[in-house]
Amino acid sequence: VQLVESGGGSVQSGGSLRLSCAASRYTYTRYCMGWFRQAPGKEREGVAKIDSAGSRSYADSVKGRFTISQDNAKNTLLLQMNSLKPEDTAMYYCALVGGYCPGSWSHLMFSYWGHGTQVTVSS
């Protein structure tokens, strides 16, 4: 499985960014994909996840601001981030695990990871 993120950058508070994750070399018919983030000195935290049937869930900190989606034709996972805040600043990672989405937000539940893309939000 190969996951490659793109779309990060620097924006001002209130701005928007869209992250993409190109997924390849996986054969799961049922899977869960998610976005995680990690700020310096902090643990990796879950942001949003979506399963192969399209069921989505979000961390409380991003509900109403972030939207996760997938373009199945292009094997791409997307994260639309609006109303960005300085506290959203982090390295953002794409992740995948076979089967249903874990009930836990722990990053340990996911098997495959991309290398990350940096998001910086200035006040």
Side-chain angles (χ1 to χ4, degrees):
V1 176
Q2 187 172 25
L3 304 172
V4 180
E5 303 95 335
S6 61
S10 297
V11 296
Q12 291 191 328
S13 181
S16 299
L17 283 174
R18 190 174 82 157
L19 305 184
S20 297
C21 173
S24 61
R25 303 178 186 174
Y26 68 96
T27 58
Y28 299 106
T29 54
R30 180 171 290 156
Y31 57 84
C32 177
M33 294 190 74
W35 288 99
F36 289 74
R37 66 187 182 187
Q38 188 168 18
K42 295 188 176 181
E43 292 188 359
R44 191 168 296 190
E45 63 173 358
V47 173
K49 50 192 175 182
I50 185 169
D51 67 19
S52 47
S55 179
R56 314 172 192 191
S57 57
Y58 298 92
D60 288 341
S61 58
V62 305
K63 279 181 182 176
R65 300 188 298 121
F66 290 11
T67 303
I68 189 171
S69 62
Q70 53 189 357
D71 183 338
N72 291 330
K74 297 181 179 180
N75 291 335
T76 300
L77 180 70
L78 303 170
L79 185 68
Q80 179 65 44
M81 306 186 295
N82 298 328
S83 302
L84 283 161
K85 305 175 181 180
E87 50 263 44
D88 294 318
T89 295
M91 184 72 78
Y92 283 71
Y93 298 90
C94 171
L96 181 148
V97 63
Y100 293 102
C101 276
S104 166
W105 280 104
S106 171
H107 66 279
L108 299 175
M109 305 300 290
F110 282 76
S111 305
Y112 303 99
W113 292 86
H115 291 295
T117 185
Q118 177 68 38
V119 171
T120 303
V121 185
S122 57
S123 57

